[in-house]
Every structure is written in structure tokens, then in C-alpha cells.
Amino acid sequence: MPNVPIPGSVPSLTAPSLGSVWDGLSPHLIASFYEVAKTGEDSWGQITDKTDPIVVRGPLVESNLEAVLNWQSPFEQAGPESKAPALFAMLQSGALQPIVDSLNPFANKKTSASDPQSQQQAETFLKQFEGRTGITKLNSTQVFNGMPPVKITVTVLFRAWRDAASEVEAPFNKLMEWALPIELAKDGSLLSRAAETVRGTMGYVEALLPSKSPTRIAMKYKGRLYSPLVIESIGMPMSSPVDANGKYVELLVPMTLCTLTALDRADWAKVIK
């Protein structure tokens, strides 16, 4: 039976799943991961397969959501400091006055050939720059310059209480399947695939893009639904303990999940709905 997406579906806690036994633990502390597919222009639903429990559940030891919003100040270089930074730094700090005095050959003489009034005016003029800056509200104004997709870093715990194969190995393998490409074409030659297309044994789309990218997933955690997501990275701590058969009895699986697109207010409202 082919996988069929169910629009807007969320797995229940009693649905068949892969993961460890966590009796007595609050369901809000257990994250559910499952595969989703597009069901409409802006909707995603769970993919069901009666022959395979496709929900992976486990508590999150660590979790963090990070949204990076790019704000920039495009007018920062509009001030005079950008044209002559060293000169204006000396003017603003008052460091230019000693240099002017040291270069004046009559500065230490009681009788000066220069005009004392002109010297006083020059000193007064230079002191006006001390403690002032060219920063204004205009050249410090920030503008929104976009944002990348939201990243979610989690560490999922799988621990064997009864059977290591079903409680640890199986859920981790399912997460790894979702992270990896569905299929990578063995033949890398576009020319050979083009020849098969001419013979009618391969379609044009298959010839141009022969491989299948990784699947999209959803994560339900603490009453919030994050969907769709992609697994950007996944780790397997190979130093984890094993049983007598070499099966892992505990795995702390670090993952970096990423939203498919950047989020706006409407998308966040769907998360907390």
C-alpha cells in the first residue's frame, strides 16, 4: 500500500510508534517525529503506512529553537568618520590639540611671532570637536534584511528497558532513514540517461534529476507542532554502551532540525495552535 498523506493529522500517544518505554513520564516531555508530505498549497500532513509504525518518540534531553533575524544598518558609512576615520577620531578624543601644539615653533616662547589671537581661536575651534560624534538616528537606523529558516537543535534519548533492538536501534535507524536521501542514482552520466529517454525507458524529469532528496518530517513537542522540518544534521555517539549482542542500550542522538522556509507570524500561529 503506498504512503498516503493525511491532511493536518497529528499522531496520538496510543498510535504504534518506535521508541523506548517511558511509563509515568509526562507526555509533554516526549517528542514525536513523523514523516509528512504536502497536501495543499500551504498545508502538510502525516504520511501513513499500515505495515510500518512511522512515529518515532523519545524525550528531549536538550532542545533549543533559534530564529536569526538579519537587521542591518545600511547608513552607517554615511557619516564623516568613514571618510577620514583617523582624523575624526583624533578630533573627537582631543588628541589632535597636543600635536598642533608640538608642531607650533612659538608655543613655548613668551614672545611669539605668531598671532596669539589666532592661536586661541584655533584651540577653541579644535576643542569644539571633543566629545562629539557623527552618529545620528538616520545613519544608525536598522532595516530588516531577511531571515534564514529557523533552526531547532535537540538531543533525543533512547534507552532500552526491555529490548535494545526495538527501543534503541529501530527508532534511531528510522531517524537516520529520514535524514538520508531516499535514493541516489547510481548512473551519474547525463548522456546515458538522455539516451534512455530517447529510447522511451526513462522520463525527462528522471533523466535530469535522477535522485530523490530526503523526506520532510514534523515534530510535536510540549503541545506545539513544528512542520515541515528537514534533518540538517544527525549524530550517532558510537561510544555508547551496548549489550552482549552489540546492540546499543542507550543513545543520546543530537539532531539539528530546520524549517523548510523562513517563518512569519501566520506560520508561528500554526505552531502554537
Side-chain angles (χ1 to χ4, degrees):
M1 178 179 177
N3 293 343
V4 179
I6 300 178
S9 61
V10 177
S12 65
L13 293 174
T14 59
S17 62
L18 296 174
S20 308
V21 178
W22 299 103
D23 294 337
L25 187 65
S26 171
H28 294 299
L29 301 179
I30 300 177
S32 299
F33 303 90
Y34 55 94
E35 193 175 6
V36 294
K38 200 165 188 178
T39 57
E41 183 178 352
D42 194 28
S43 60
W44 295 75
Q46 180 189 6
I47 295 178
T48 62
D49 188 342
K50 294 182 179 180
T51 63
D52 185 18
I54 57 174
V55 180
V56 175
R57 291 192 174 95
L60 302 185
V61 178
E62 295 180 0
S63 58
N64 181 61
L65 183 148
E66 182 179 6
V68 179
L69 300 107
N70 296 331
W71 287 88
Q72 296 184 354
S73 301
F75 311 112
E76 281 184 358
Q77 306 303 321
E81 295 93 339
S82 61
K83 309 303 179 183
L87 175 60
F88 276 88
M90 296 177 70
L91 285 172
Q92 294 176 39
S93 63
L96 192 61
Q97 183 62 53
I99 297 177
V100 173
D101 293 340
S102 63
L103 294 177
N104 185 0
F106 306 103
N108 298 324
K109 295 184 179 181
K110 293 183 179 179
T111 57
S112 173
S114 61
D115 186 0
Q117 186 177 0
S118 298
Q119 289 184 12
Q120 185 63 34
Q121 290 178 352
E123 291 179 6
T124 304
F125 176 73
L126 291 176
K127 286 183 179 181
Q128 292 178 359
F129 289 93
E130 295 184 25
R132 303 189 68 86
T133 179
I135 298 177
T136 65
K137 288 188 176 181
L138 173 62
N139 58 25
S140 62
T141 302
Q142 296 195 67
V143 296
F144 183 63
N145 198 34
M147 61 178 295
V150 175
K151 289 185 182 294
I152 304 175
T153 55
V154 299
T155 301
V156 191
L157 174 62
F158 299 114
R159 179 181 294 171
W161 299 99
R162 302 168 185 170
D163 179 50
S166 62
E167 295 183 77
V168 179
E169 299 270 348
F172 172 76
N173 291 336
K174 178 58 68 174
L175 289 177
M176 183 62 77
E177 286 181 16
W178 290 339
L180 297 175
I182 297 175
E183 181 184 2
L184 292 178
K186 296 180 180 179
D187 187 5
S189 173
L190 179 61
L191 184 61
S192 62
R193 295 197 301 272
E196 293 185 20
T197 303
V198 173
R199 292 196 297 266
T201 59
M202 181 181 292
Y204 290 101
V205 176
E206 186 180 355
L208 184 61
L209 303 172
S211 302
K212 296 181 180 179
S213 62
T215 186
R216 279 68 167 169
I217 68 169
M219 180 182 75
K220 183 173 176 60
Y221 184 56
K222 294 184 176 179
R224 295 164 177 82
L225 178 62
Y226 307 91
S227 175
L229 303 173
V230 295
I231 302 177
E232 198 170 77
S233 68
I234 184 171
M236 183 180 75
M238 300 176 65
S239 59
S240 300
V242 295
D243 61 10
N245 299 318
K247 302 291 185 182
Y248 287 108
V249 296
E250 181 179 288
L251 278 178
L252 281 167
V253 182
M255 290 195 303
T256 299
L257 308 173
C258 188
T259 58
L260 201 58
T261 64
L263 302 184
D264 58 14
R265 294 185 180 183
D267 295 324
W268 185 249
K270 293 178 183 178
V271 170
I272 63 178
K273 184 177 180 180

